[in-house]
Amino acid sequence: MSGLLYTLLSFAASTSLHCAVRREISPCTCRQEDFSAPISNPPLGSPLHGERIEVECEKMESFNQVAEALRGRFTPEQSITLRVSHSYLKDISRHGFKDLKMSITRLELNYDKLGVLNGEIFAGLGRTQYLSLADNEVPSIPRPILSHLSLLRTLDLSRNRISRIEADDFKYNPTLQYLFMAGNSIAEMVPGSLPPLIKHLHVGRNHLVSLNRTLRDLNQLEWLLINANELTSLDGELPASGHNLKMLYVVDNKLTHLPAEFRFLHRLESLFLQHNKITSLDGTLQKARRLKFLELSYNHLQVLHEDDFIEAEMLEDLQLGHNALTSLGGVTSVTPEETTTSNSALYPLKSLKCLNLTHNNLREFSFTSIRGLRELKMLDLSNNKIQRLTRGRAPTERTILSPLVVLQNLVEVDGDEMAGVGIQDMHLQHNELRSLEGSLFLGMRQLQRLNLSHNALGPTVGLRDLKGLDGLRKLDLSYNELTTLEDTSESWLQSLEELNVAHNRLITLSERDFRGFPGLCWVDVSANQISVLKPELVANTRCTVHGVPDVLRIYLQDNPVLCDAGLADLTVALEVYHAKVYGVANDCPTPSTPAAPTTTTESTIVPPLPPTLLLAAAAAASGGNVSFAATLE
C-alpha cells in the first residue's frame, strides 16, 4: 500500500512540480514557478495566484510538431510563457494557437523566418500581454495579428524588414506600453501612429531622418532610444510635456545642437549623445536637476560655459572625451594689481564621481576647475596637449595678490577649499608635461593610481612634486626623460606598490632610488640605459600582499646590466632582500680574446672563478639569451 501511495505521489509531482522532465511534451522543455501570494500591482488580466510555466521549443521542424507536443498538456489556470525559436514554421498558416488550448500570457517566436502571417493564427490569445516576433522577416506592422491581442502591453518587432509605421497600425492595442522596433528599415513614422500610453520606445538602428512629430503626444514616455539613425535635429520632436522622460539614447546621429525642450526635461536621469556633431550645449542642460549620467563623447564641443550645468547637482558621471575642448569655463584675469576669476562649468556638479576629458585640446589644467567636487573619484585628462598643471586659487570676485603669488599661483590660500581631495584615479598620460610644479597634489591623500606616462618629464621628478600622495599605490612614469629616481624617492611614498619607469634614461639604480618606497612589490625599469645595479637598492623595501610577505619583482629587460658578468651573483644578493630580477640578455658584446704571448718566462696561475660567475661569464661569452629570473625561483 505504501509503495502504491509513493508511486501516486511521484506521478503527481512529475505532472505539477517537475515540469523540466516531462516526457510528454518532448522535444519541448519547460520549467515551472508557483505563486500563491497576491502580487502588488499585477499586470492587467493576469491571475493573482496559480502557476507560471515557461515552455521552450527549439529547432522544431514544423508548427504541427509544436502542436502535437503541447496540445492539451496544460490547464487554463496555468500561465504559460511559450518560446519557439530557430524553427521552421512554414505550416503555421494551417494551424492556430487556439488549437494548443493553452493560456499563453507571453509568446516569443524568434529566428523562425516568419514573414506575412494570417491574423487568425493568433486568435485565442486574448490573455497575451507580451509578443515578440523579433529576428524574423516581417515586412510591416502585423495589424491583423495585433487585432487579436487587445491586452498586449509589450511588443518586440526588432530586426525585421519594417519600413514604415502607418496611422492605424496600433489602433487595436490601446494598452501597449513597451514597443521595440530596433534594427528595421523604418524611414517614416506617420503622426499619431504610436499608442498614447507608450512608456518605452526603441526605434534605433533604422533610417529615420526626422521623427515627424510622432512623439509629441506621448506624455507617458519614460525611455526613448533613437540611436543610429540619420537625425539632424530634435527641435519640436520630444513629448510636449516631457515630464516623465528619464532616459534618452540618441547615439550615432547627426545632431549639431540640442533642442530648447531639454530645458524642461526635469526628470531626465540618463542622456546619451555620443557620436554626434554637437558644438555647444547652449544652456540646454542648465535645469537637468535629476540627471545622473551624461555621455557627450565623440562630438565637436570646443568650450564649456560657466552656466552649462548650473542646476545639475545630481550628475555623477560626465563623459566629454574625444571632443575639441580648449576650456572648461571659468575665466581668470590677472594684473599686477588684482585677479578676477569665475567658476568653471564643473563647479555646480557636487555629486560628480567620474569626469572623462580624454582626447581634447586642453593646453593647461588648473585644479581650481574641479574645486568643490568632493565626490570626484576618477579624473581622465589623458591624450590632451597639457603643458602645465597648476594648483591655482579658489575663484573670487576681486582678489588683491602680491607679485609673488601672481607668479606662483600654486598655493592654496588659508581657508580655501582644497581641490581634488577625493580623487582615487588620475590619468595624465599622453600630454606635453615637462615638469610638475611642486605641491600640485598636496591634499590628495586618497589618490591611489597616477598615470604620467608618455610626457616629457625629466631629468627628475622632484622632492615636492609628489608631496602629499600618502595613499598612492600605482605610479606610472614610463616613456618620459628621467635620468634618476633619487629625488622621486625622497617624496616618501609609503603606500606605493607598483612603479613603472620603463623607457626613460636611467643609468644607475643605487641604494637611494627605492629608499622612499618601503612597500614596493613591482617595478618595471625596462628599456633604460641601466648599467649599474646595487643590491642595496632594495635594502629598505619589503613587499607584502594583504599582510603576507611577498617578493619585489624588478623587470630589467633591454638594459646593459643584463650583460654584466657579475649579474648572477647580484641576483643572489638581491634575493637576500626578497627581490627578484627578470629579464633576458640580448645582443651582449662578445669579449675579445687577447693574443697569446710569443714567449713566456714565467707561467701565471689564474684562480678559478666562483661557480655563479663562471656560469654568467660562459653565458655572456656565448652570446646566449639567458633569463636570470630562473636563478631566484
Side-chain angles (χ1 to χ4, degrees):
M1 183 66 179
S2 61
L4 177 60
L5 180 60
Y6 179 81
T7 302
L8 292 174
L9 290 174
S10 299
F11 177 77
S14 67
T15 58
S16 61
L17 297 178
H18 299 287
C19 178
V21 295
R22 283 186 175 177
R23 295 183 179 179
E24 57 266 31
I25 67 170
S26 179
C28 298
T29 61
C30 64
R31 66 186 184 90
Q32 178 174 313
E33 177 185 358
D34 294 325
F35 63 95
S36 55
I39 306 173
S40 60
N41 299 321
L44 185 63
S46 63
L48 294 180
H49 53 81
E51 295 176 324
R52 295 191 191 97
I53 297 177
E54 296 184 2
V55 180
E56 295 190 14
C57 305
E58 291 189 352
K59 300 181 180 179
M60 307 298 283
E61 296 179 358
S62 65
F63 189 83
N64 183 60
Q65 185 183 14
V66 177
E68 289 183 353
L70 302 180
R71 185 183 295 117
R73 304 297 184 184
F74 302 95
T75 65
E77 292 77 22
Q78 293 171 318
S79 179
I80 305 295
T81 292
L82 176 59
R83 298 188 182 97
V84 183
S85 64
H86 299 88
S87 298
Y88 188 68
L89 306 180
K90 188 175 182 179
D91 63 332
I92 192 172
S93 59
R94 298 196 299 270
H95 299 272
F97 287 97
K98 184 184 295 185
D99 297 340
L100 301 182
K101 299 180 180 179
M102 299 167 61
S103 179
I104 301 175
T105 58
R106 183 182 178 110
L107 177 60
E108 301 177 22
L109 302 173
N110 306 134
Y111 298 100
D112 294 324
K113 299 181 180 179
L114 299 176
V116 178
L117 296 174
N118 185 345
E120 294 303 317
I121 299 171
F122 291 79
L125 296 180
R127 294 182 59 188
T128 302
Q129 301 170 28
Y130 181 105
L131 173 64
S132 175
L133 295 173
D135 299 290
N136 282 289
E137 300 172 3
V138 178
S140 61
I141 303 296
R143 193 185 311 169
I145 294 175
L146 300 180
S147 66
H148 295 282
L149 307 175
S150 58
L151 297 182
L152 194 66
R153 297 181 65 202
T154 302
L155 176 61
D156 189 353
L157 294 170
S158 301
R159 297 172 297 281
N160 278 282
R161 298 180 179 179
I162 301 169
S163 59
R164 179 182 170 89
I165 302 177
E166 301 288 354
D168 296 331
D169 280 343
F170 301 105
K171 68 177 182 179
Y172 300 110
N173 312 104
T175 62
L176 192 63
Q177 296 181 1
Y178 307 96
L179 179 58
F180 307 99
M181 297 183 290
N184 280 278
S185 302
I186 300 173
E188 183 180 5
M189 297 189 296
V190 175
S193 59
L194 299 176
L197 299 182
I198 287 290
K199 291 184 177 181
H200 294 182
L201 175 63
H202 192 348
V203 288
R205 301 192 304 279
N206 279 284
H207 303 311
L208 293 169
V209 178
S210 169
L211 296 179
N212 204 19
R213 299 180 66 84
T214 53
L215 310 181
R216 294 296 288 173
D217 297 327
L218 304 185
N219 292 323
Q220 302 300 315
L221 194 63
E222 297 178 355
W223 287 19
L224 175 60
L225 296 91
I226 48 178
N227 56 295
N229 280 283
E230 300 173 20
L231 301 171
T232 58
S233 174
L234 293 179
D235 294 341
E237 297 286 7
L238 298 179
S241 69
H243 293 316
N244 291 308
L245 197 60
K246 296 179 180 179
M247 193 275 285
L248 183 56
Y249 195 75
V250 203
V251 177
D252 195 15
N253 277 280
K254 300 178 181 179
L255 300 183
T256 58
H257 64 281
L258 300 182
E261 293 97 308
F262 272 25
R263 299 175 185 270
F264 308 106
L265 302 181
H266 301 313
R267 293 189 179 181
L268 193 63
E269 297 177 357
S270 301
L271 179 57
F272 301 84
L273 293 163
Q274 63 266 38
H275 291 282
N276 278 281
K277 300 179 180 181
I278 301 168
T279 58
S280 175
L281 299 182
D282 296 322
T284 53
L285 299 177
Q286 288 180 347
K287 297 185 179 298
R289 300 184 183 96
R290 297 191 183 183
L291 190 63
K292 293 183 178 180
F293 185 93
L294 176 58
E295 171 62 271
L296 278 163
S297 301
Y298 294 95
N299 277 281
H300 298 166
L301 294 173
Q302 297 181 7
V303 177
L304 296 180
H305 297 97
E306 184 178 357
D307 58 352
D308 278 339
F309 306 113
I310 195 166
E311 295 185 25
E313 293 186 357
M314 295 183 66
L315 188 63
E316 297 180 359
D317 196 321
L318 178 57
Q319 301 290 326
L320 291 168
H322 297 271
N323 278 279
L325 288 171
T326 59
S327 171
L328 301 178
V331 179
T332 301
S333 176
V334 179
T335 67
E337 294 80 20
E338 64 179 14
T339 182
T340 303
T341 307
S342 60
N343 289 315
S344 77
L346 308 175
Y347 182 71
L349 307 181
K350 305 300 183 182
S351 301
L352 194 65
K353 296 179 180 179
C354 177
L355 175 59
N356 188 348
L357 292 164
T358 186
H359 287 86
N360 277 281
N361 294 330
L362 299 175
R363 293 189 175 275
E364 183 173 328
F365 181 80
S366 172
F367 284 96
T368 56
S369 299
I370 56 173
R371 186 180 68 90
L373 308 186
R374 303 189 66 86
E375 299 297 322
L376 189 62
K377 305 300 181 186
M378 197 284 289
L379 174 61
D380 191 345
L381 292 163
S382 62
N383 294 91
N384 277 273
K385 301 176 181 179
I386 299 174
Q387 299 176 354
R388 184 169 180 250
L389 296 173
T390 63
R391 167 60 64 179
R393 293 172 54 88
T396 55
E397 293 183 359
R398 186 179 180 87
T399 305
I400 306 299
L401 300 179
S402 67
L404 178 61
V405 174
V406 171
L407 290 174
Q408 293 180 345
N409 197 27
L410 295 174
V411 183
E412 294 281 334
V413 177
D414 291 341
D416 285 345
E417 187 175 6
M418 194 74 71
V421 293
I423 296 178
Q424 298 178 0
D425 204 339
M426 186 181 298
H427 300 267
L428 284 161
Q429 64 268 31
H430 290 283
N431 278 287
E432 300 175 8
L433 294 170
R434 294 187 175 275
S435 64
L436 301 175
E437 302 180 14
S439 304
L440 279 173
F441 305 106
L442 190 65
M444 296 186 181
R445 294 184 177 87
Q446 296 187 40
L447 187 62
Q448 298 181 20
R449 292 167 292 275
L450 176 60
N451 193 332
L452 288 162
S453 64
H454 295 274
N455 279 281
L457 295 172
T460 183
V461 173
L463 171 62
R464 297 181 58 196
D465 292 343
L466 301 177
K467 185 178 180 181
L469 298 181
D470 299 338
L472 192 65
R473 296 173 54 197
K474 296 182 180 180
L475 176 61
D476 193 342
L477 292 167
S478 59
Y479 293 92
N480 279 284
E481 300 176 7
L482 301 176
T483 59
T484 178
L485 294 177
E486 289 188 10
D487 292 341
T488 308
S489 177
E490 293 297 325
S491 300
W492 187 254
L493 304 177
Q494 59 186 9
S495 301
L496 192 66
E497 299 173 358
E498 297 184 14
L499 175 63
N500 189 349
V501 282
H503 294 273
N504 276 276
R505 299 179 182 179
L506 301 178
I507 298 174
T508 301
L509 290 180
S510 64
E511 63 275 8
R512 298 183 60 184
D513 289 320
F514 290 176
R515 183 171 60 182
F517 314 137
L520 205 57
C521 289
W522 184 94
V523 181
D524 189 351
V525 288
S526 302
N528 277 276
Q529 302 168 21
I530 300 170
S531 58
V532 178
L533 191 155
K534 299 180 180 180
E536 294 81 9
L537 172 72
V538 295
N540 296 305
T541 65
R542 188 64 177 101
C543 171
T544 58
V545 178
H546 302 296
V548 179
D550 204 341
V551 175
L552 168 58
R553 291 165 173 82
I554 304 174
Y555 294 87
L556 277 167
Q557 185 65 33
D558 296 324
N559 278 285
V561 70
L562 288 176
C563 295
D564 193 321
L567 183 61
D569 280 346
L570 176 61
T571 57
V572 174
L574 290 173
E575 190 176 23
V576 175
Y577 295 111
H578 308 283
K580 291 184 179 181
V581 174
Y582 294 81
V584 177
N586 291 319
D587 302 323
C588 293
T590 302
S592 58
T593 304
T598 55
T599 59
T600 304
T601 59
E602 184 177 353
S603 61
T604 303
I605 300 176
V606 180
L609 289 171
T612 52
L613 287 180
L614 186 61
L615 290 173
S622 64
N625 295 335
V626 181
S627 174
F628 289 96
T631 66
L632 299 172
E633 297 294 344

